[in-house]
Amino acid sequence: RFLDGTGAVISPPNPKEVGELRPQEEAQLALPGVPETQQIGYLARDVEGRGEATDEVVAVPIVSTATGERIAALVLGFKAVELAVRRSETGIESGLWLDGRLHLPALTASTQAELGAKVTHAVAGLTGSEASMEVRINGAPHLLFYKQLNPGSVFPPAYEVCVYPLANFLARQRQLQWRILEGGGLLLLGAFVASHFLSARLSGPVEKLAVDSKEDRAQRHRVEAALELSQVELQRAARFSADASHQLKTPVTVLRAGLEELLAEQELTPEKREEVSALIHQTYRLAGIIEDLLLLSRMEAGRLQLEFSPVNLTHLIEGWLDDLDALPDPLDLSVEVDLPAGMYVAGEPRYTWLIVQNLLENARKYNRPGGRIRVAARAHGSDANLTISNTGEPIATAAQEHIFERFHRGSAGENIPGHGLGLNLARELARIHGGELRLLRSDERWTEFEVRLRLAVPTPAGPLELA
């Protein structure tokens, strides 16, 4: 669906082709206005023949290339990542809480209603985005975790809810208590017998009980660690679900293909042709956001494999500057370069290029007419310190601690194309390369970033050698 400039839903003329919704379901997609950033929500609806289903909804603002203003929004819905999964090794049941209702098919309707009411009450007084509480299901104790899947979204909040049965854990705890009691009884009995008959052999049973007690404590600690690990895995799964933007690839491709086919129509007026071209441009921007989010999610899930090799940092920067000279420069920028000849760093060439490209693009975009860019690099021990500076509006002191957050765009970037992922992506890639990215200064004269990477020595053949 598309939203107009006020956030109201524009009903499509062909709902069967884009996904049919009931009027009350379609009304839930409306927003108070065009959002500034991508928004994530969830929509519970009735599907004929399948009963109740939950869709994940992503709203992306559409920005006019002429004025830089948000003029509309694109809302895409797709089947949510399946939450109602039972983990056989832990017994965890997962579901979704939305609009005061709990959707957890593994439980009965009455149990879902009862737990949904408890979660609704708990969420109303929640100060953070996640918490837990103990509940009883069918008379058995369970630990209930809930975590918001779309914090900060203008859509209604949605929470992933997981229930973990405590019966086995409590039974094991009672078993440990009984074993400790039994051990204490044996200790008293052994002490009584040994005090009368075999006092010289008292040390043997005592040592054995000490070993057993130590093993019991270690086993209990392992159980508690396993429970904590399960909670960490739930948090990671919720974060990965929110970043599962790869599901947007197909609808974006289909949307672009349809717009390009429309652009090929001969009867389009020049004004309509310009509007369709602008929409096609937005699909490329949306595809770029999806690729960046996929890269970030792979890094957070630990699934990004890097093959390090010596990367000529000097040639990489000089190549970017050559490309800059070939492009029209409305700002008439001057570039100062202070680079050593043939400085090599250890990295994946593609991702090292992304780090440098994002920083240099920022220095170009957030500059002033007739401004300057300064690029310098120095070797410091086993590291290469690259600084990229630019003139322009300084970053406000209150905003400096947030510039590396995902989708953050300060007041200086309101009329500048971008989606607020560049610095976050560059810093995460620098850290994976064993380095760091930080803001050194931002005042009326300069805004200066420093990225630290490991030095490498290029070899004619063979493995990478670090400097």
Side-chain angles (χ1 to χ4, degrees), residues 230-263:
S230 297
Q231 184 175 4
V232 172
E233 290 175 350
L234 287 173
Q235 295 172 349
R236 178 175 292 180
R239 181 67 178 272
F240 184 77
S241 173
D243 285 340
S245 303
H246 61 275
Q247 299 193 43
L248 285 172
K249 276 189 170 182
T250 298
V252 170
T253 303
V254 172
L255 179 62
R256 182 188 304 159
L259 291 171
E260 290 175 345
E261 184 177 348
L262 179 61
L263 187 63

Coordinates of all heavy atoms in Angstrom, one line a residue, residues 230-263:
S230 N 19.8 -19.3 26.9 CA 18.6 -19.4 26.2 C 18.0 -18.0 26.1 O 17.5 -17.6 25.0 CB 17.6 -20.3 26.9 OG 18.1 -21.6 26.9
Q231 N 18.1 -17.2 27.1 CA 17.5 -15.8 27.1 C 18.3 -15.0 26.1 O 17.8 -14.2 25.3 CB 17.6 -15.2 28.5 CG 17.0 -13.8 28.5 CD 16.9 -13.3 29.9 OE1 17.4 -13.9 30.8 NE2 16.3 -12.1 30.1
V232 N 19.7 -15.1 26.1 CA 20.5 -14.4 25.1 C 20.1 -14.8 23.7 O 20.0 -13.9 22.8 CB 22.0 -14.6 25.4 CG1 22.9 -14.0 24.3 CG2 22.4 -14.1 26.7
E233 N 19.9 -16.1 23.5 CA 19.5 -16.5 22.1 C 18.2 -15.9 21.7 O 18.0 -15.6 20.5 CB 19.5 -18.1 22.1 CG 20.8 -18.7 22.2 CD 20.7 -20.2 22.3 OE1 19.6 -20.7 22.4 OE2 21.8 -20.9 22.2
L234 N 17.3 -15.8 22.6 CA 16.0 -15.2 22.3 C 16.1 -13.8 21.9 O 15.5 -13.3 21.0 CB 15.0 -15.3 23.5 CG 14.5 -16.7 23.8 CD1 13.7 -16.7 25.2 CD2 13.6 -17.2 22.7
Q235 N 17.0 -13.0 22.6 CA 17.2 -11.6 22.3 C 17.8 -11.5 20.9 O 17.5 -10.7 20.1 CB 18.1 -11.0 23.3 CG 17.5 -10.9 24.7 CD 18.5 -10.4 25.8 OE1 19.7 -10.3 25.5 NE2 17.9 -10.1 27.0
R236 N 18.8 -12.4 20.6 CA 19.4 -12.3 19.3 C 18.5 -12.7 18.2 O 18.4 -12.1 17.1 CB 20.6 -13.3 19.3 CG 21.3 -13.4 17.9 CD 22.6 -14.2 17.9 NE 23.6 -13.6 18.8 CZ 24.8 -14.2 19.0 NH1 25.1 -15.3 18.4 NH2 25.7 -13.6 19.7
A237 N 17.6 -13.7 18.5 CA 16.6 -14.1 17.5 C 15.6 -13.0 17.2 O 15.2 -12.7 16.0 CB 15.8 -15.3 17.9
A238 N 15.2 -12.2 18.2 CA 14.3 -11.1 18.0 C 15.0 -10.0 17.2 O 14.3 -9.4 16.3 CB 13.8 -10.6 19.4
R239 N 16.2 -9.7 17.5 CA 16.9 -8.7 16.8 C 17.1 -9.1 15.3 O 17.0 -8.3 14.4 CB 18.3 -8.4 17.4 CG 19.1 -7.4 16.7 CD 18.5 -6.0 16.9 NE 19.3 -5.0 16.3 CZ 20.2 -4.3 16.9 NH1 20.5 -4.6 18.2 NH2 20.9 -3.4 16.3
F240 N 17.5 -10.4 15.1 CA 17.6 -10.8 13.7 C 16.3 -10.8 13.0 O 16.3 -10.5 11.8 CB 18.2 -12.3 13.7 CG 18.5 -12.8 12.4 CD1 19.6 -12.4 11.7 CD2 17.6 -13.7 11.7 CE1 19.9 -12.9 10.4 CE2 17.9 -14.2 10.5 CZ 19.0 -13.8 9.8
S241 N 15.2 -11.1 13.7 CA 13.9 -11.0 13.0 C 13.6 -9.6 12.6 O 13.1 -9.4 11.5 CB 12.8 -11.5 14.0 OG 11.5 -11.3 13.5
A242 N 13.9 -8.6 13.4 CA 13.7 -7.2 13.0 C 14.5 -6.8 11.9 O 14.1 -6.0 11.1 CB 13.9 -6.3 14.2
D243 N 15.7 -7.4 11.7 CA 16.6 -7.0 10.6 C 16.5 -8.0 9.4 O 17.3 -7.9 8.5 CB 18.1 -7.1 11.1 CG 18.4 -5.9 12.0 OD1 17.6 -4.9 11.9 OD2 19.3 -6.0 12.8
A244 N 15.5 -8.8 9.4 CA 15.4 -9.8 8.3 C 14.9 -9.1 7.0 O 13.8 -9.4 6.5 CB 14.5 -10.9 8.7
S245 N 15.6 -8.1 6.6 CA 15.1 -7.3 5.5 C 15.3 -8.0 4.1 O 14.9 -7.5 3.1 CB 15.9 -5.9 5.4 OG 15.8 -5.3 6.6
H246 N 15.9 -9.1 4.2 CA 16.1 -9.8 2.9 C 14.7 -10.2 2.3 O 14.6 -10.4 1.1 CB 16.9 -11.1 3.1 CG 16.3 -12.1 4.0 ND1 16.5 -12.0 5.4 CD2 15.6 -13.2 3.8 CE1 15.9 -13.0 5.9 NE2 15.3 -13.7 5.0
Q247 N 13.7 -10.3 3.1 CA 12.4 -10.6 2.6 C 11.8 -9.5 1.8 O 10.7 -9.6 1.1 CB 11.4 -10.9 3.8 CG 11.9 -12.1 4.6 CD 10.8 -12.7 5.5 OE1 9.7 -12.8 5.2 NE2 11.2 -13.0 6.8
L248 N 12.4 -8.3 1.9 CA 11.9 -7.2 1.0 C 12.5 -7.2 -0.4 O 12.0 -6.4 -1.2 CB 12.3 -5.9 1.7 CG 11.5 -5.5 3.0 CD1 12.1 -4.3 3.6 CD2 10.0 -5.2 2.6
K249 N 13.5 -8.0 -0.6 CA 14.2 -8.0 -1.9 C 13.2 -8.2 -3.0 O 13.2 -7.5 -4.0 CB 15.3 -9.0 -1.9 CG 16.6 -8.5 -1.3 CD 17.7 -9.5 -1.6 CE 19.1 -8.9 -1.2 NZ 20.2 -9.8 -1.6
T250 N 12.4 -9.3 -2.9 CA 11.5 -9.7 -4.0 C 10.5 -8.6 -4.3 O 10.3 -8.2 -5.4 CB 10.9 -11.0 -3.7 OG1 11.9 -12.0 -3.6 CG2 9.9 -11.4 -4.8
P251 N 9.8 -8.1 -3.2 CA 8.8 -7.1 -3.6 C 9.4 -5.8 -4.1 O 8.8 -5.1 -5.0 CB 8.1 -6.8 -2.2 CG 8.9 -7.4 -1.2 CD 9.6 -8.5 -1.8
V252 N 10.6 -5.4 -3.7 CA 11.2 -4.2 -4.3 C 11.6 -4.5 -5.7 O 11.4 -3.6 -6.6 CB 12.5 -3.9 -3.5 CG1 13.3 -2.8 -4.2 CG2 12.1 -3.4 -2.1
T253 N 12.1 -5.7 -6.0 CA 12.4 -6.0 -7.4 C 11.1 -6.0 -8.3 O 11.1 -5.4 -9.4 CB 13.1 -7.4 -7.5 OG1 14.2 -7.3 -6.7 CG2 13.5 -7.7 -9.0
V254 N 10.1 -6.5 -7.8 CA 8.8 -6.6 -8.5 C 8.3 -5.1 -8.7 O 7.8 -4.8 -9.8 CB 7.7 -7.4 -7.8 CG1 6.4 -7.3 -8.4 CG2 8.2 -8.9 -7.8
L255 N 8.4 -4.3 -7.7 CA 7.9 -2.9 -7.8 C 8.7 -2.2 -8.8 O 8.2 -1.4 -9.6 CB 8.1 -2.3 -6.4 CG 7.7 -0.8 -6.3 CD1 6.2 -0.6 -6.7 CD2 8.0 -0.2 -4.9
R256 N 10.1 -2.4 -8.8 CA 10.9 -1.7 -9.8 C 10.6 -2.1 -11.2 O 10.5 -1.3 -12.1 CB 12.4 -1.9 -9.5 CG 13.3 -1.2 -10.4 CD 14.8 -1.6 -10.2 NE 15.1 -1.4 -8.8 CZ 16.1 -2.0 -8.2 NH1 16.8 -2.9 -8.9 NH2 16.4 -1.8 -6.9
A257 N 10.4 -3.4 -11.4 CA 10.1 -3.9 -12.7 C 8.8 -3.3 -13.2 O 8.6 -3.0 -14.4 CB 10.0 -5.4 -12.7
G258 N 7.8 -3.3 -12.3 CA 6.5 -2.7 -12.8 C 6.6 -1.2 -13.1 O 6.0 -0.7 -14.1
L259 N 7.4 -0.5 -12.3 CA 7.6 1.0 -12.6 C 8.3 1.2 -13.9 O 8.0 2.1 -14.7 CB 8.3 1.6 -11.5 CG 7.5 1.8 -10.2 CD1 8.4 2.3 -9.0 CD2 6.4 2.7 -10.3
E260 N 9.4 0.3 -14.2 CA 10.1 0.4 -15.4 C 9.2 0.1 -16.6 O 9.3 0.7 -17.7 CB 11.3 -0.5 -15.4 CG 12.4 0.0 -14.4 CD 13.6 -0.9 -14.3 OE1 13.4 -2.1 -14.7 OE2 14.6 -0.5 -13.8
E261 N 8.3 -0.9 -16.5 CA 7.4 -1.2 -17.5 C 6.4 -0.1 -17.8 O 6.1 0.3 -18.9 CB 6.7 -2.5 -17.2 CG 5.7 -3.0 -18.3 CD 5.0 -4.3 -17.9 OE1 5.5 -4.9 -16.9 OE2 4.1 -4.7 -18.6
L262 N 6.0 0.6 -16.7 CA 5.1 1.7 -16.8 C 5.8 2.9 -17.5 O 5.3 3.6 -18.3 CB 4.6 2.2 -15.4 CG 3.7 3.4 -15.4 CD1 2.4 3.1 -16.2 CD2 3.4 3.7 -13.9
L263 N 7.1 3.1 -17.2 CA 7.9 4.2 -17.8 C 8.1 4.0 -19.3 O 8.2 4.9 -20.0 CB 9.3 4.2 -17.1 CG 10.2 5.4 -17.5 CD1 9.5 6.7 -17.1 CD2 11.6 5.3 -16.9

